[in-house]
Amino acid sequence: MEVKTAQQVLQLVISKAWEDQNFRKELIENPVTAIENFTGAKIILPEGKELVVADQSDNSKIFVNIPSEPDLENMELSEDQLEAIAGGGQNIMSNIVDTLFPTIQNFIKL
């Protein structure tokens, strides 16, 4: 299969990691090399950035990743986001939580 999009690369990598324990281990230990060797795609990270792959395949656990704090001063918002903020709608933190933590929210009871 010829890989044409970044999404296809990621789909291949995830599928391979699910079925091949050795590839999964390699992916965790050296993600850039593992992805490049498996797919032929080139991974070019911004200077000073590192790709970290965490194994979250254990279905008995719910994983929460703490995201980096957004740079709100330099963030560009869509027209819809600007309207929501101006109208007193959801704030940016709500959007972040809804996007990154949809599963865990189902288990929080107040």
Side-chain angles (χ1 to χ4, degrees), residues 3 7 18 27 105:
V3 179
Q7 183 180 33
W18 282 340
L27 184 63
Q105 291 183 73

Side-chain angles (χ1 to χ4, degrees), residues 68-85:
S68 60
E69 188 173 345
D71 180 3
L72 299 177
E73 296 294 320
N74 295 313
M75 183 179 283
E76 291 190 33
L77 302 175
S78 70
E79 289 296 320
D80 290 339
Q81 290 169 321
L82 288 170
E83 285 181 29
I85 292 169

Side-chain angles (χ1 to χ4, degrees), residues 3-65:
V3 179
K4 296 181 181 179
T5 67
Q7 183 180 33
Q8 288 174 327
V9 168
L10 294 174
Q11 288 172 346
L12 281 171
V13 168
I14 291 167
S15 295
K16 180 73 170 172
W18 282 340
E19 65 189 35
D20 184 339
Q21 292 292 333
N22 290 327
F23 177 75
R24 182 185 305 190
K25 185 175 186 253
E26 181 183 351
L27 184 63
I28 292 167
E29 291 174 1
N30 196 344
V32 171
T33 301
I35 293 168
E36 288 180 344
N37 289 343
F38 177 61
T39 66
K42 202 76 178 133
I43 305 297
I44 302 169
L45 298 173
E47 189 172 329
K49 297 291 183 179
E50 174 186 7
L51 179 59
V52 176
V53 174
D55 184 353
Q56 297 185 1
S57 59
D58 185 345
N59 289 333
S60 68
K61 295 179 179 148
I62 297 171
F63 296 90
V64 175
N65 294 313

